[in-house]
Amino acid sequence: MQILYGFVLAILIVYLAYRAHSLDKSGAVAATVVGTIIFGIGGLEWSILLLTFFITSSGLSRAFKRRKVGLNEKFSKGNERDAGQVFGNGGLATFFAALHAFYPESILPWVGFAASLAAVNADTWATELGVLNPTPPRMITDLRKRVEKGTSGGISLFGTFASLLGSAVIALPAILLSPAGKFSTSTFLLIAGAGLAGSLFDSLLGATVQAMYYCPRDQKETEKHPLHTCGTETIHIRGWKWLNNDWVNFACGAFGGLVALVGIL
Ligand SMILES: [Zn+2]
C-alpha cells in the first residue's frame, strides 16, 4: 500500500518539477521511478532526505541560471535534468532504498543512502555556488594551475566550502531522522565528510579520466557530445569515452556511500 502512496507523491512532485522546467520528459519518467521506490519503500524519513536534495539542488540551479549563461556551454546540460542525470544522481540512492526492503533491520542502507545523496548534493552545490569564487579555480591535480570557471576538475575555496555545506544539509536530517533513533555527532561528521569526499572524487575524475571534447568553432573544451551548444560537432580530446558526466555523478555518489559505509563498520 505504501508503494501506491509513494507513486502518488512521486507523480505529484514530478509534475511540479516538470512544469517548473527542472526535468525534461525522460527525466520525469526516471524521477517517477526513483521517487516511487524511495518514497514507497522508505516512507517519510527517506522521502525527506530525497526531497531535501531535489529541492535545494534544483533551486540552486534555478537561482544561478542567469549568472551561468556565459559558462553554460562548458556544462554538458542545461537546467532541465534528463533521465541520465536523474539516474546518475539518484540511481544509487534508489538501490539503497531497495536494499532497505530486504534488510529492514540494518542501518547500513540508510547510511549508504544518506552519504550518496550527501555526495551528489555536495557536488551540485559546489558547481552552482563555486562560480561565486572571486578568482578562477585551480586544477585538483595541480593546485598551482588556474583554469577557467566551470572547467571539470577545477576547485576553489568557496566551491569546497559550498560542497561541505551541501553535504551537511543532507547529513543533518540524516542523523535527526535516523531509523537507529539516536543523535550522534560522529555519524553526522562521517556522512558530511563522506559527501565532501565524493564531491572531490568527482572533481578528480573530471580532471583525469572523464570524457572531454573540443568545439573547433569556438575553440573551447566542453563536456558536450556529439554537438556543442553552437551546433558544431565536438571532437574527443581526452578521457574515457563512456565516462560521461552522468557516470561521473554516479561515481561521486558511490564514492561517498563507500566512504561512509567503511567508516561506520
Ligand atoms: Zn561551439
Side-chain angles (χ1 to χ4, degrees):
M1 194 58 197
Q2 191 173 291
I3 280 283
L4 189 66
Y5 292 139
F7 179 66
V8 172
L9 180 63
I11 287 283
L12 185 75
I13 289 165
V14 165
Y15 175 72
L16 293 174
Y18 180 72
R19 283 283 304 273
H21 298 285
S22 290
L23 294 164
D24 73 3
K25 273 192 185 128
S26 75
V29 174
T32 304
V33 173
V34 166
T36 301
I37 293 174
I38 293 176
F39 300 154
I41 292 175
L44 187 65
E45 295 84 359
W46 298 64
S47 308
I48 291 175
L49 239 59
L50 179 66
L51 289 175
T52 303
F53 160 68
F54 186 70
I55 293 168
T56 66
S57 61
S58 42
L60 278 182
S61 303
R62 179 170 299 278
F64 292 98
K65 198 175 178 177
R66 251 166 298 147
R67 185 178 271 274
K68 279 196 317 189
V69 166
L71 291 169
N72 236 349
E73 57 204 299
K74 280 253 176 196
F75 299 101
S76 60
K77 285 159 187 172
N79 288 303
E80 284 192 1
R81 285 160 169 78
D82 64 17
Q85 281 173 301
V86 170
F87 286 127
N89 283 307
L92 196 69
T94 310
F95 166 77
F96 281 120
L99 211 59
H100 170 66
F102 292 101
Y103 303 100
E105 301 301 318
S106 172
I107 186 73
L108 297 182
W110 174 257
V111 171
F113 172 75
S116 69
L117 279 185
V120 290
N121 206 46
D123 178 49
T124 310
W125 280 48
T127 306
E128 302 296 349
L129 294 172
V131 293
L132 299 177
N133 199 65
T135 53
R138 294 163 185 275
M139 210 59 186
I140 191 171
T141 46
D142 179 4
L143 295 175
R144 286 162 304 178
K145 190 178 163 196
R146 299 257 186 200
V147 288
E148 229 183 298
K149 283 186 186 185
T151 303
S152 288
I155 59 168
S156 65
L157 208 60
F158 198 91
T160 307
F161 182 70
S163 170
L164 190 58
L165 211 61
S167 185
V169 158
I170 300 293
L172 188 64
I175 55 149
L176 293 177
L177 302 168
S178 167
K182 52 178 197 289
F183 181 93
S184 140
T185 312
S186 59
T187 313
F188 168 76
L189 293 175
L190 175 68
I191 295 174
L196 176 65
S199 155
L200 290 174
F201 184 62
D202 185 293
S203 297
L204 185 64
L205 292 179
T208 55
V209 287
Q210 182 179 353
M212 283 297 155
Y213 301 88
Y214 182 78
C215 170
R217 184 169 158 192
D218 296 301
Q219 306 191 339
K220 270 188 177 166
E221 200 175 294
T222 173
E223 292 176 351
K224 293 204 176 197
H225 183 73
L227 296 180
H228 192 221
T229 29
C230 65
T232 309
E233 215 173 304
T234 57
I235 304 157
H236 177 249
I237 46 167
R238 64 182 166 89
W240 300 332
K241 280 188 176 170
W242 61 271
L243 194 69
N244 61 18
N245 203 41
D246 298 334
W247 281 112
V248 169
N249 278 334
F250 185 83
C252 164
F255 194 80
L258 189 71
V259 167
L261 288 174
V262 168
I264 204 132
L265 288 174

